[in-house]
Amino acid sequence: MTQTGPMTAMTKQMQECVNACMATHTVCEETLSSCMSMEAGQSHMRIMRALMDCSEMTRMCADMMMRRSPLSAEMCAMCAKACDMCVEACMSMPDDPQMKRCADACRRCAEMCRAMAGASM
């Protein structure tokens, strides 16, 4: 897994995935803030952990794609998994509009990351 040659321009697919990761990072942080103001319980702790994991994973994934890391494909696969876990956690509160918004962003990001994990970067 060595990076050779000059850095190539990002593909449209890669740029869209970076954008989805950054948008998801933002909405996860907003949702985490919203969740902190709710009454704490075991279910909220599970949701908050999923939000934190997803937020960090999406930010790191975007960073790695932007610098063309040779680990990008593996990171995209892990990012998709973190997003899937966040969707599941957020959907445990389907009537909360912020949780729904976060789950929607995570679904889109997971889909794009799965596609990038299978693409050669």
Side-chain angles (χ1 to χ4, degrees):
M1 284 198 166
T2 59
Q3 195 166 338
T4 59
M7 200 179 292
T8 58
M10 268 204 266
T11 65
K12 184 176 187 282
Q13 180 186 21
M14 190 182 293
Q15 184 60 57
E16 288 173 354
C17 190
V18 166
N19 292 344
C21 283
M22 293 310 294
T24 301
H25 168 72
T26 299
V27 78
C28 282
E29 288 294 320
E30 292 168 353
T31 307
L32 183 59
S33 180
S34 173
C35 202
M36 286 181 188
S37 67
M38 296 176 185
E39 189 176 316
Q42 286 299 338
S43 64
H44 281 89
M45 296 306 290
R46 183 180 68 85
I47 293 168
M48 289 172 55
R49 273 194 286 282
L51 287 164
M52 286 187 265
D53 287 351
C54 190
S55 175
E56 288 300 313
M57 206 55 114
T58 53
R59 183 196 51 77
M60 188 183 308
C61 188
D63 289 349
M64 291 178 83
M65 282 187 285
M66 287 187 283
R67 68 175 170 259
R68 312 314 185 277
S69 169
L71 301 173
S72 291
E74 289 91 342
M75 179 53 76
C76 284
M78 286 184 63
C79 188
K81 184 174 181 176
C83 286
D84 289 340
M85 290 173 67
C86 197
V87 168
E88 183 181 326
C90 288
M91 290 314 296
S92 69
M93 296 181 66
D95 296 330
D96 185 299
Q98 182 64 35
M99 294 288 180
K100 182 173 178 351
R101 198 180 98 167
C102 187
D104 291 344
C106 289
R107 269 190 210 97
R108 281 190 301 277
C109 188
E111 199 174 286
M112 292 182 151
C113 282
R114 268 190 285 282
M116 287 306 299
S120 60
M121 295 189 213

